[in-house]
Amino acid sequence: MSTSTASFDTLDDLDPGQRVLVRLDLNSPIEDGEPQDNRRFERHAETVRELAEAGHRVVLLAHQGRPGRDDFVSLAGHADILAAHLDREVAFVEDTYGERAVDAIEALGAGEVLLLENTRMCEDELPEEAPEAKAETEFVRALAPHFDAYVNDAYSAAHRSHASLVGFPLVLPAYAGRVMETEYGANTAIASKEFDGRVTMVVGGTKATDVIDVMDNLGDTVDDFLLGGIAGELFLRADGRPLGFDLDPEQDLYDSQWEANHDLVEGMLTERRDQITLATDLAYDDGGERAEVDVADIDEKDVSYLDVGTRTAEAYADVVRDSEAVFVKGALGVFEEEAFSVGTVTVLEAIAETDCFSVVGGGDTSRAIGMCGLNEADFDHVSIAGGAYIRALTGQPLAGVEALKRS
């Protein structure tokens, strides 16, 4: 098995004693106006800790929510959560590039850490524009002269062409943080590594377009696609089964996706039939209890299917155990409900106990690892990225990564 290397600099290339501007992704669930701790804080703390312990003066940029939404709040609470992970103080200033921010930056000592205010409170940040345009914004031009280097650790936001992600690499020496470096390597591994044995991708979730794009891009690399979730049911509909449509007209999970994608789904199923495995049984809620039915016995859809069946889950697990590499994109069912976590958990357990290269990601799927009591150490990589993970799997460039490569 061979690997390829990324064409950007990392923290290993950073000169000592720098004042460093570091972009993180600390976007978090907000409850009662307060950010909630999550895996992102723990992961990014590794990069921040390394920089601080090396004696750099560390200034952090991050975002939270979008203007107009309930989760668009200050980062003051984020500083406290990050400080707990670092076991060192994280100062906070309610400013991003104005006088208060500059004063706090200039006063920072070696090994000290400062978090600036929510980048999305800057008018220059959000519009998706070319890096050259972002490099000319007041935000970038005002802040950059106070730094020796820029570090992008926000892989999960790297698909966005925002000022804090693509503008600074054009005007400062730029480096990838440890999260960026690790996520990029793992999430592009399916295209950049050569495996001698079977390569399997478990594909679920709610978005058919994502599934189609991933399968189209990786069809020549992956031997087996194991389908579940809403996307899997749409493929069953394409296979002639009375499935993959909405029971409630108020609930639009299937019908609009079918209308938009049915030609592609049918074409994919025809073109790659020998690579695609569909569920043979499904699970549903029967009076508060899990019940299962064979797909072949379904004459009409009269219940909502919330998971693949046990027989399907075990068959998928058998494929995993016979694989050299397994990639997971999306859940096979509503794993947040214990009764309907069987498919997702069974496959994750098989991956954990198998000596295979494994990457788990896509939306909230990685949360299932902790919820079902598995150890992240049993997986080669658990991605904290959503949209960027999908972009990587579909072969699309990531604006933040491309900007690092240009630096």
Side-chain angles (χ1 to χ4, degrees):
M1 185 171 64
S2 64
T3 62
S4 63
T5 57
S7 54
F8 48 65
D9 289 334
T10 70
L11 299 190
D12 296 329
D13 305 298
L14 183 61
D15 289 336
Q18 305 280 288
R19 183 185 287 135
V20 184
L21 182 64
V22 186
R23 179 58 157 96
L24 310 180
D25 183 0
L26 302 179
N27 198 45
S28 310
I30 301 296
E31 296 181 9
D32 298 324
E34 296 296 325
Q36 304 302 298
D37 197 356
N38 61 29
R39 184 180 285 108
R40 287 177 174 172
F41 286 94
E42 179 183 1
R43 294 278 183 86
H44 286 303
E46 297 176 15
T47 295
V48 177
R49 184 182 300 108
E50 179 178 344
L51 289 167
E53 290 180 350
H56 298 291
R57 288 162 288 174
V58 185
V59 179
L60 309 176
L61 288 173
H63 73 275
Q64 174 61 55
R66 281 180 176 268
R69 297 182 182 177
D70 292 340
D71 63 347
F72 184 59
V73 300
S74 170
L75 297 186
H78 297 67
D80 294 334
I81 296 174
L82 184 60
H85 282 280
L86 290 171
D87 197 25
R88 71 168 64 213
E89 181 183 359
V90 175
F92 173 74
V93 60
E94 196 175 345
D95 188 15
T96 308
Y97 65 91
E99 185 176 345
R100 284 178 297 166
V102 170
D103 287 346
I105 292 166
E106 294 293 339
L108 209 60
E112 293 183 338
V113 181
L114 169 70
L115 176 63
L116 302 179
E117 185 57 284
N118 190 343
T119 62
R120 291 184 176 175
M121 292 181 179
C122 301
E123 290 185 5
D124 293 335
E125 169 73 346
L126 272 181
E128 295 268 354
E129 296 175 313
E132 290 79 7
K134 290 303 187 186
E136 292 297 328
T137 60
E138 181 183 359
F139 176 21
V140 172
R141 287 296 176 186
L143 205 53
H146 301 283
F147 293 93
D148 304 305
Y150 167 80
V151 173
N152 191 347
D153 208 35
Y155 179 86
S156 51
H159 54 304
R160 305 296 187 187
S161 190
H162 295 162
S164 64
L165 295 160
V166 302
F168 290 104
L170 270 62
V171 297
L172 284 170
Y175 306 83
R178 297 307 184 196
V179 171
M180 173 67 77
E181 181 183 4
T182 303
E183 288 272 5
Y184 178 84
N187 296 340
T188 57
I190 195 166
S192 63
K193 290 189 176 185
E194 295 178 3
F195 299 98
D196 296 327
R198 193 175 194 174
V199 178
T200 296
M201 171 159 274
V202 182
V203 189
T206 61
K207 296 180 181 177
T209 302
D210 284 350
V211 170
I212 294 165
D213 290 344
V214 168
M215 293 172 68
D216 186 49
N217 185 57
L218 300 176
D220 294 333
T221 303
V222 174
D223 299 295
D224 298 280
F225 292 101
L226 311 179
L227 268 64
I230 289 174
E233 198 171 326
L234 290 172
F235 271 78
L236 284 168
R237 179 171 176 173
D239 198 35
R241 305 295 182 178
L243 297 165
F245 58 87
D246 294 304
L247 295 174
D248 183 350
E250 298 293 321
Q251 182 186 50
D252 187 11
L253 295 175
Y254 297 93
D255 291 336
S256 63
Q257 290 202 73
W258 175 258
E259 182 177 350
N261 297 292
H262 68 90
D263 287 340
L264 293 171
V265 173
E266 290 168 345
M268 185 69 65
L269 192 58
T270 299
E271 179 184 353
R272 301 196 178 277
R273 187 63 195 240
D274 60 339
Q275 296 169 262
I276 296 172
T277 303
L278 304 178
T280 58
D281 58 342
L282 297 170
Y284 60 95
D285 187 321
D286 183 13
E289 300 291 332
R290 178 185 174 101
E292 300 188 355
V293 61
D294 287 350
V295 170
D297 293 336
I298 299 173
D299 295 321
E300 63 175 332
K301 183 176 179 179
D302 53 9
V303 295
S304 294
Y305 295 105
L306 305 177
D307 192 14
V308 298
T310 301
R311 191 172 70 253
T312 297
E314 292 174 348
Y316 285 4
D318 287 341
V319 175
V320 165
R321 295 186 187 98
D322 192 38
S323 300
E324 185 187 353
V326 181
F327 296 80
V328 179
K329 184 273 157 197
L332 296 177
V334 185
F335 68 85
E336 294 88 348
E337 298 182 31
E338 185 176 357
F340 303 105
S341 66
V342 172
T344 301
V345 171
T346 299
V347 168
L348 289 175
E349 288 177 339
I351 296 171
E353 68 188 31
T354 301
D355 185 21
C356 64
F357 178 84
S358 57
V359 178
V360 177
D364 292 333
T365 313
S366 60
R367 287 196 299 116
I369 291 174
M371 290 177 64
C372 65
L374 293 174
N375 190 338
E376 278 196 26
D378 291 329
F379 302 84
D380 286 277
H381 184 65
V382 179
S383 179
I384 58 174
Y389 180 66
I390 298 302
R391 291 280 185 97
L393 294 181
T394 55
Q396 300 177 61
L398 301 175
V401 173
E402 296 305 307
L404 282 178
K405 291 179 178 180
R406 291 175 56 181
S407 179

